[in-house]
Amino acid sequence: MNTRKTLTLELTGIIGAALVAILLGIIIIYIVSEEPLTAIQSLLLGPISSAFNIGTVLNKAVPLIFTGLALAIVFQAGVFSMGAEGQLYMGAFVGALAALYIPGLPVWVHLPIIFLAAICAGAIFGAIPGFLKAYLNTDEIVTTLMLNFIAILSTSYFVNNIFKDPASGGYARMQYIASDLRLGRIVEGFTAHYGIIIALATVIVIYLLLYKTKFGYELRMVGQNSRFAHYGGISTKKIIILSVVISGGLAALAGIIEILGVHGTFKDYFSINLGFDGIIIALLARNHPFGVAVAALFYAYLQVGAQLMQGASDVPRELAVIIQVILVLLVSSQAIFTFLRQKYLLRQGR
Amino acid sequence: MTVLLEMKDIHKVYPNGTKANQGVDLTVHEGEIHALVGENGAGKSTLMKILFGLETPTSGEIRYKGQPVTFQGPRDAIKQGIGMVHQHFMLVPSLTVSENILLGDELRKGFFSLFRDRKRELTEVDQLIQRYTLKVDPQAKVEMISVGQKQRVEILKVLYRGARLIILDEPTAVLTPQETDELFHSMKELVKENYTVIFITHKLREVMEISDRATILRAGKTIETVQTKNSSQEEISKLMVGRNVLFRVEKEEAKPKEPVLKVNHLTVPDDKGLEAIRNVSFQIRAGEIFGFAGVEGNGQTELIEAITGLRKIKSGQIEYLGQDLTEKTVAQIRAMKIGHIPEDRQTTGACLTSTISENLILDCCRAKEYRRGPFLEQKKIKGFSQQMIKDFDIRVQNEDALAGSLSGGNLQKVIIARELSKNPKLLIASQPTRGVDIGAIEFIHREIIKKRDEGTAVLLVSAELSEVINLSDRIGVLYNGEIVAILDNSTPLSEEEIGSYMLGIKRQEQEAVAE
């Protein structure tokens, strides 16, 4: 069986799973709702009913694309990092500090410095579990989960104490970042900010990196068969560390763009599990960058739809969570795909 | 002759899509030795796993003693009197022979049968050993006994559980020629007592020697069942492969030149830190094939890993064209025109989830001519891959097919294409034809000899003694981590002669070994 057939089969499987999940969601709506048609309509069509809503979908997709890419790249290297959430906070935190506390720079110098600071913070924080895994064979799932607490709680401490904006009152947040440093709207009157353009450009860069360069080739070989990589002279340690460093940088981008594009400042607990949603996005995308873009948009669409549904009907937005969970269950059931493949081959064989 | 077992139109498709059996028929008579022959991947093992209840067939019918049967697991098969000796032994090394034989079926005595009746156990095991002349010490720990004896323990285990039909899955693969003879003797004894034996093999000499009838499988289908005494090696091999096969490897006399690889007093530890290779010295010259014979697990793997940089050495030198290899990384060694065909092609030699092309470019992705700026030159890679597929007769749709979809022989050709395309000065070939079909074996042997004639120094390791004898110009025998003999093979040696060195019975004078 060649790769194209495998790809077609996988795609049919994933799209099928998405349809089944939505169908089950609709059935649940019919069970719980007094006004199922209104609920379904706002869930499925709401997100594209106005330019404002479309813009919201795009904005919601931006951080998901970055965290999805961050996890796709480590997963492809065979490293099961769960650390995107922590790296996202570190990146956002350091980036926000760079935005607030480096004075007197022109915007076109200042903005790249902010991004660079954020990426470095995420990358360095991401490198820690990488070194631990490469040299001490420490389980990266445990270390990254623990490091998440360190990142989230320590940034929380700082934003509640040292860097807290005195004018913020009951809110734990930093001062607002100067508006010329924030990511503006692409078109006036349309909600989407420049983040989506940066995100889609990053998708292409990561695609090229993974599939068209020597580094990407080596990274994928390490992930797919580390013994083969070792036999072939690929330095698996180097690849593991670089993969978590790049991943940390991408997660940090998710954080800083969320700050500059949406919140305008670093807020306590501003990311509601964006780093963990990235795991699901990467899973749905089968770790492919283009898939990440599609999956993130789908995910954002579902969230916006659920929000609108809650406003328009008696169905709570948590329904979106149910649909997401069903989808994850279906997609992660590798068995279904192998079953389909077997049926397919059987039919060919007879 | 009564029919004991009938398997009809058996199909088996594995979840990963492999069609291992596609309509296999097998009829076995009571009291015969029935050989099941076919190339690797022909479906022999799958068929036997179905018979033993380890796999459920996708479709088909099994009749045993005239009754249709379905086995949910090995337990059901054992109950019916079917026993199987697996290729890989399933014994507890720290227990004694008799404990292994009785495991799960211990004899009990006394109050509520709380106590083991060790005395009766020993006598029963002793009787069993006497009766079938399967010589082994019942009180010895399994970790201390030889491979041949371990196999006898496996057979005794099966007999103790009352099996009347015994399946032996490639029993001779791990045995020396002498041990093989003893196994055959025991098999004949069993058949005299009206036991039935199904014997899986792909060695034709053994089929002719021991079996009454042979069923030939090819590509998951039954080709024919023949009476062995009315048939010949040539006929069976033709049925196996589907065409005529050359048995001898044709090669001219070697013309060795300067030494390429010099190994001096090399000591290499195994994974546990014990010395797997002890004080080994040898040289390989350009234009010769130096073969290592030896029962598997006598240090071959560690020796090759040391030379290719995959394993740290303890002491000694490895010199390649005047350069010391011991401090070099794997990547540096691969860049020095050293080709390495690893023993395990599924896990080490290839990446099954990647495409053929990705498997081929392992080295050239580092070469400048395959890169432009940060990117790989996709066109050149495609061209190179297509060239390799053509030159090495890899049977596949295109270079984007997954390596995992290839048969063993074709996958091995991918690895050989990659390793030979860099025109190695030294080629290390470990089990180059293991589990490969006969057609591909011929091809691989020809390619290795062609490289030798072009002046490559070849280090060959193979568990197939006939392969070592057929290809090598000189043969080193490894026993327990040491080279016990280095023999000239310009006129081919006999298997028995090498076999006695392999078992450690004979040993050359130290001076001769050290050259």
Side-chain angles (χ1 to χ4, degrees):
Chain A
M1 185 153 61
N2 65 28
T3 39
R4 189 172 300 157
K5 270 188 207 147
T6 325
L7 190 69
T8 329
L9 267 179
E10 289 216 346
L11 274 182
T12 356
I14 290 170
I15 293 168
L19 291 177
V20 170
I22 291 174
L23 196 70
L24 285 171
I26 289 173
I27 291 171
I28 294 168
I29 291 176
Y30 265 102
I31 294 169
V32 301
S33 176
E34 301 278 311
E35 38 188 345
L37 285 177
T38 327
I40 292 164
Q41 199 192 1
S42 49
L43 174 69
L44 296 183
L45 301 175
I48 45 169
S49 62
S50 71
F52 180 87
N53 288 348
I54 294 173
T56 314
V57 170
L58 293 178
N59 285 347
K60 286 231 182 236
V62 171
L64 294 173
I65 290 175
F66 280 107
T67 53
L69 287 176
L71 288 152
I73 207 163
V74 275
F75 290 169
Q76 286 236 11
V79 181
F80 295 97
S81 168
M82 303 280 129
E85 185 80 356
Q87 292 147 12
L88 180 147
Y89 272 97
M90 290 308 272
F93 181 76
V94 175
L97 289 183
L100 288 171
Y101 293 95
I102 303 176
L105 289 176
V107 173
W108 55 273
V109 181
H110 200 174
L111 207 52
I113 288 179
I114 297 171
F115 275 97
L116 208 64
I119 290 171
C120 286
I124 292 168
F125 199 67
I128 299 170
F131 275 101
L132 288 173
K133 180 177 168 71
Y135 289 97
L136 299 172
N137 205 19
T138 323
D139 187 344
E140 69 272 22
I141 298 178
V142 177
T143 53
T144 50
L145 282 174
M146 294 298 119
L147 283 164
N148 281 344
F149 288 114
I150 294 176
I152 297 166
L153 295 174
S154 60
T155 53
S156 171
Y157 169 80
F158 283 119
V159 80
N160 272 293
N161 295 284
I162 303 166
F163 299 113
K164 189 173 190 291
D165 181 3
S168 64
Y171 270 123
R173 63 162 174 82
M174 292 184 191
Q175 289 165 19
Y176 278 109
I177 293 165
S179 61
D180 55 351
L181 287 174
R182 296 199 217 157
L183 298 175
R185 295 181 174 179
I186 308 169
V187 188
E188 211 41 58
F190 187 54
T191 18
H193 61 73
Y194 275 101
I196 188 72
I197 292 175
I198 307 174
L200 292 178
T202 313
V203 166
I204 292 166
V205 170
I206 297 298
Y207 167 75
L208 291 175
L209 180 74
L210 277 176
Y211 291 97
K212 304 290 170 192
T213 67
K214 166 178 164 274
F215 171 74
Y217 168 76
E218 295 191 339
L219 182 139
R220 286 182 294 121
M221 290 307 120
V222 169
Q224 286 174 33
N225 184 346
S226 63
R227 287 183 62 159
F228 174 71
H230 179 55
Y231 148 83
I234 297 170
S235 167
T236 45
K237 287 191 171 77
K238 190 181 101 186
I239 295 289
I240 286 172
I241 292 168
L242 279 175
S243 74
V244 289
V245 163
I246 295 171
S247 171
L250 288 168
L253 274 175
I256 191 63
I257 289 175
E258 197 65 356
I259 300 288
L260 297 180
V262 178
H263 300 289
T265 184
F266 185 93
K267 289 179 187 163
D268 204 4
Y269 299 117
F270 76 95
S271 155
I272 318 125
N273 284 342
L274 288 171
F276 292 103
D277 287 343
I279 299 171
I280 296 170
I281 305 282
L283 180 74
L284 288 178
R286 296 276 141 141
N287 301 329
H288 194 289
F290 294 160
V292 165
V294 175
L297 283 167
F298 175 76
Y299 211 82
Y301 191 99
L302 209 57
Q303 284 183 339
V304 173
Q307 186 75 51
L308 293 168
M309 176 179 68
Q310 173 166 279
S313 71
D314 57 351
V315 184
R317 58 187 284 190
E318 277 71 23
L319 184 88
V321 180
I322 295 178
I323 294 179
Q324 283 160 16
V325 170
I326 293 170
L327 187 55
V328 170
L329 280 177
L330 288 175
V331 171
S332 50
S333 324
Q334 285 275 359
I336 295 173
F337 294 100
T338 37
F339 176 74
L340 286 176
R341 202 171 302 159
Q342 189 181 356
K343 282 274 153 193
Y344 171 81
L345 283 167
L346 259 178
R347 235 180 305 134
Q348 280 205 321
R350 286 288 155 86
Chain B
M1 276 280 177
T2 45
V3 172
L4 180 70
L5 170 79
E6 266 184 295
M7 297 179 84
K8 274 190 204 150
D9 198 29
I10 304 287
H11 286 261
K12 173 71 191 176
V13 181
Y14 281 105
N16 67 10
T18 315
K19 284 176 279 184
N21 284 173
Q22 313 174 52
V24 180
D25 298 305
L26 175 69
T27 308
V28 178
H29 297 158
E30 197 164 355
E32 71 170 347
I33 297 181
H34 195 108
L36 192 58
V37 284
E39 300 179 281
N40 279 53
K44 297 167 296 193
S45 290
T46 305
L47 186 69
M48 287 303 107
K49 280 182 189 160
I50 290 170
L51 176 56
F52 192 53
L54 287 166
E55 302 277 2
T56 42
T58 315
S59 66
E61 193 197 10
I62 307 172
R63 293 174 85 88
Y64 186 68
K65 292 178 178 164
Q67 300 296 320
V69 284
T70 48
F71 298 138
Q72 297 304 320
R75 210 161 256 282
D76 295 350
I78 293 167
K79 238 182 249 165
Q80 293 277 352
I82 298 175
M84 181 161 179
V85 174
H86 298 271
Q87 208 173 344
H88 302 283
F89 300 138
M90 313 214 171
L91 298 170
V92 186
S94 56
L95 296 184
T96 67
V97 167
S98 78
E99 281 168 335
N100 265 285
I101 293 170
L102 293 156
L103 197 67
D105 285 303
E106 293 88 352
L107 298 173
R108 310 243 160 222
K109 66 172 180 187
F111 185 66
F112 279 113
S113 303
L114 269 178
F115 305 100
R116 281 180 63 186
D117 193 346
R118 298 214 179 239
K119 218 164 141 196
R120 199 153 61 89
E121 283 182 1
L122 268 184
T123 45
E124 289 227 352
V125 170
D126 255 336
Q127 276 173 5
L128 212 57
I129 291 171
Q130 296 298 329
R131 191 161 156 209
Y132 302 106
T133 57
L134 289 158
K135 273 175 283 169
V136 57
D137 174 9
Q139 310 239 43
K141 286 221 167 131
V142 163
E143 59 196 349
M144 307 300 288
I145 64 179
S146 74
V147 178
Q149 288 173 321
K150 281 182 191 152
Q151 193 166 56
R152 281 176 223 152
V153 178
E154 287 280 11
I155 296 172
L156 286 165
K157 238 168 84 176
V158 167
L159 291 173
Y160 182 77
R161 279 161 184 72
R164 299 299 301 175
L165 170 64
I166 300 167
I167 306 163
L168 300 171
D169 188 359
E170 303 214 14
T172 58
V174 288
L175 301 183
T176 61
Q178 284 85 345
E179 286 173 326
T180 303
D181 286 343
E182 285 173 44
L183 172 71
F184 285 176
H185 177 74
S186 307
M187 282 164 68
K188 283 178 193 146
E189 292 291 313
L190 286 170
V191 174
K192 267 187 212 155
E193 304 241 2
N194 210 30
Y195 281 90
T196 310
V197 178
I198 298 179
F199 170 61
I200 304 181
T201 187
H202 59 257
K203 294 180 188 168
L204 298 178
R205 208 170 43 95
E206 296 174 353
V207 176
M208 303 312 296
E209 189 180 333
I210 188 85
S211 71
D212 301 308
R213 297 195 308 146
T215 294
I216 295 107
L217 299 188
R218 185 167 80 221
K221 296 192 179 87
T222 300
I223 301 301
E224 208 175 320
T225 300
V226 296
Q227 298 278 343
T228 314
K229 61 173 187 286
N230 298 335
S231 185
S232 66
Q233 274 203 40
E234 284 69 29
E235 189 195 343
I236 293 176
S237 76
K238 206 171 153 185
L239 292 169
M240 258 168 83
V241 190
R243 62 185 173 79
N244 284 317
V245 182
L246 265 177
F247 272 102
R248 270 183 319 104
V249 184
E250 291 187 359
K251 60 167 185 167
E252 287 171 24
E253 208 179 310
K255 297 181 195 69
K257 297 184 197 70
E258 76 286 354
V260 171
L261 181 74
K262 290 188 201 168
V263 172
N264 277 320
H265 303 292
L266 182 69
T267 298
V268 185
D270 65 9
D271 293 336
K272 292 179 202 149
L274 304 170
E275 288 177 0
I277 282 288
R278 257 198 316 277
N279 197 21
V280 158
S281 301
F282 62 92
Q283 290 192 359
I284 306 179
R285 293 163 294 176
E288 74 167 348
I289 299 176
F290 188 95
F292 270 107
V295 179
E296 274 186 85
N298 274 284
Q300 295 94 325
T301 308
E302 288 82 2
L303 175 64
I304 285 178
E305 286 179 351
I307 297 171
T308 50
L310 292 164
R311 183 179 286 273
K312 287 253 173 299
I313 68 160
K314 195 165 174 184
S315 63
Q317 290 103 43
I318 304 168
E319 202 185 300
Y320 165 74
L321 295 174
Q323 282 175 287
D324 183 25
L325 288 188
T326 53
E327 292 298 315
K328 296 257 189 310
T329 64
V330 181
Q332 283 168 334
I333 290 171
R334 285 189 71 86
M336 292 165 84
K337 287 193 177 261
I338 296 178
H340 174 202
I341 302 164
E343 61 179 9
D344 193 336
R345 76 173 153 266
Q346 307 271 347
T347 63
T348 312
C351 182
L352 300 183
T353 47
S354 297
T355 65
I356 310 279
S357 187
E358 286 171 332
N359 272 282
L360 285 168
I361 61 167
L362 191 54
D363 288 297
C364 47
C365 76
R366 279 185 215 110
K368 274 209 189 79
E369 66 254 41
Y370 285 95
R371 286 162 65 182
R372 193 173 48 196
F375 296 114
L376 292 168
E377 280 261 32
Q378 302 295 336
K379 262 194 196 139
K380 273 193 187 162
I381 287 173
K382 197 179 166 114
F384 170 75
S385 307
Q386 286 171 344
Q387 190 65 42
M388 287 298 113
I389 289 172
K390 207 170 125 235
D391 288 356
F392 287 85
D393 187 29
I394 301 163
R395 300 203 186 129
V396 64
Q397 272 178 319
N398 61 41
E399 70 281 358
D400 287 328
L402 290 182
S405 68
L406 295 181
S407 71
N410 275 314
L411 184 60
Q412 189 71 345
K413 283 185 193 167
V414 171
I415 296 166
I416 285 169
R418 180 182 67 221
E419 300 304 313
L420 295 190
S421 66
K422 59 185 190 187
N423 284 318
K425 290 250 168 46
L426 171 65
L427 174 66
I428 297 165
S430 184
Q431 320 290 359
T433 59
R434 172 183 281 173
V436 164
D437 56 77
I438 293 184
I441 290 178
E442 270 185 306
F443 179 86
I444 291 166
H445 284 172
R446 271 205 307 273
E447 289 294 324
I448 291 176
I449 289 167
K450 202 165 91 192
K451 279 288 160 212
R452 178 200 77 164
D453 292 342
E454 288 168 19
T456 302
V458 181
L459 191 165
L460 171 75
V461 169
S462 176
E464 212 66 67
L465 192 48
S466 58
E467 178 169 57
V468 175
I469 292 171
N470 278 333
L471 285 181
S472 308
D473 301 309
R474 289 192 299 143
I475 295 175
V477 185
L478 272 175
Y479 173 72
N480 205 8
E482 292 176 305
I483 295 184
V484 290
I486 291 182
L487 309 161
D488 180 41
N489 193 44
S490 46
T491 49
L493 299 155
S494 77
E495 296 204 1
E496 282 68 27
E497 170 144 25
I498 298 173
S500 51
Y501 287 111
M502 282 164 69
L503 279 176
I505 298 167
K506 256 171 90 181
R507 198 188 167 100
Q508 263 180 353
E509 294 296 319
Q510 272 308 300
E511 296 80 63
V513 175
E515 295 194 6

